[in-house]
Amino acid sequence: PFSNSEIYAATDGGMHLSSNSGNSWTNISNTLSTMQFYRLSSGGGSFYNTIYAGAQDNGINKYDGSLSPSLQWDRVNGGDGMNVVTNPSNALINYASVQNGDLKKTSNGGVSYGGVSPPALAGTGYWITPFIISPSNSNTLFAGYKNVWKTVNSAGSWTSISNSFLGNCTALAIAPSDENYIYASAFFGSIMRLFATQDGGTTLAWTEITPPFIGQDSLYITDIVVSDNDPLKVWITLARYYDGHKVYYSEDGGMSW
């Protein structure tokens, strides 16, 4: 009210000030707790201290202890930061996505990112599009859109390894002990479905293993985890506000829960 040129903007990305009628803006959010992380990922071995994290309206952020003060994070990419996966043997290589599956890659520790999404026919992904890196080969990644896509050359090119699920994938997991076992959840219209393959998607044949209670209560799957040493042991987490419907376990590849 005391200046015709000063504008304050309060957003879910923080508090910002313009002193020149909106021509430029300064983030004045310091000490405000406005960061909402969706996913984070760290490097393996000696790179454990390098962490990338995707944050709502606050992009992709990186921590490696190199900035001063030592707890400071560096924002390395903008937009709505979503899923992040770091090469376990080289923390300079990070894959990150913004909303709806716009997948990006950096090979220089976040100095620059370039687009590496699957072909346009993959369509847009879920709000937080799932993608994972192979436990045995850091050049191989899997990404879930309306199909599951696979790359064996660090996102240089992609191949579909499933028939269309009709809806977007919400979660994706691969068995560390046998990478032929892959699990994916996806919307089929407005209903959540869970699928699995035991041949790595070679034949595009996926079996539906949806638990019966999901359709009854309009639940949807937020994450999938497979045992480190048994590809048939799998856990799923569920969203919706229903008591007793949160985490489920199967020891027979989803035939029973």
Side-chain angles (χ1 to χ4, degrees):
F2 305 108
S3 171
N4 292 327
S5 60
E6 285 193 353
I7 307 171
Y8 291 86
T11 74
D12 50 2
M15 192 74 180
H16 299 79
L17 167 67
S18 174
S19 298
N20 53 15
S21 301
N23 290 313
S24 62
W25 292 86
T26 300
N27 190 327
I28 57 172
S29 305
N30 190 32
T31 74
L32 293 179
S33 299
T34 60
M35 192 75 80
Q36 176 191 345
F37 286 118
Y38 280 119
R39 302 286 190 273
L40 59 83
S41 172
S42 66
S46 61
F47 297 104
Y48 75 94
N49 201 41
T50 298
I51 303 169
Y52 295 85
Q56 168 74 36
D57 285 295
N58 282 289
I60 306 300
N61 299 267
K62 176 186 176 184
Y63 170 82
D64 61 8
S66 64
L67 299 179
S68 181
S70 61
L71 295 180
Q72 185 172 337
W73 290 63
D74 184 24
R75 185 172 302 174
V76 293
N77 196 67
D80 285 310
M82 298 292 169
N83 201 10
V84 286
V85 172
T86 307
N87 186 307
S89 58
N90 184 356
L92 293 177
I93 301 175
N94 173 257
Y95 302 87
S97 65
V98 297
Q99 64 270 32
N100 302 120
D102 184 3
L103 184 58
K104 303 175 184 295
K105 175 186 176 182
T106 179
S107 298
N108 53 24
V111 175
S112 60
Y113 277 86
V116 292
S117 296
L121 58 86
T124 58
Y126 191 56
W127 178 247
I128 307 176
T129 297
F131 62 92
I132 53 179
I133 197 165
S134 163
S136 64
N137 188 336
S138 59
N139 293 319
T140 298
L141 291 91
F142 301 83
Y145 292 78
K146 286 184 173 63
N147 282 305
V148 176
W149 292 78
K150 178 181 180 180
T151 175
V152 296
N153 55 10
S154 303
S157 60
W158 295 85
T159 301
S160 175
I161 61 170
S162 71
N163 288 314
S164 176
F165 296 140
L166 299 183
N168 282 322
C169 289
T170 64
L172 188 62
I174 187 167
S177 62
D178 186 341
E179 295 186 22
N180 287 312
Y181 287 76
I182 307 172
Y183 298 84
S185 59
F187 281 107
F188 191 89
S190 60
I191 303 299
M192 176 62 56
R193 294 287 185 259
L194 181 60
F195 300 89
T197 179
Q198 297 183 7
D199 65 7
T202 303
T203 62
L204 305 183
W206 291 64
T207 301
E208 184 174 351
I209 55 170
T210 307
F213 49 79
I214 284 185
Q216 298 170 3
D217 293 323
S218 299
L219 300 166
Y220 69 92
I221 296 170
T222 56
D223 206 0
I224 307 169
V225 174
V226 187
S227 166
D228 285 343
N229 49 36
D230 188 338
L232 295 176
K233 291 183 178 179
V234 58
W235 291 258
I236 59 174
T237 57
L238 303 173
R240 295 288 188 230
Y241 298 103
Y242 291 104
D243 185 28
H245 287 315
K246 297 301 178 186
V247 182
Y248 279 84
Y249 163 68
S250 173
E251 59 182 17
D252 54 14
M255 295 298 102
S256 61
W257 295 90

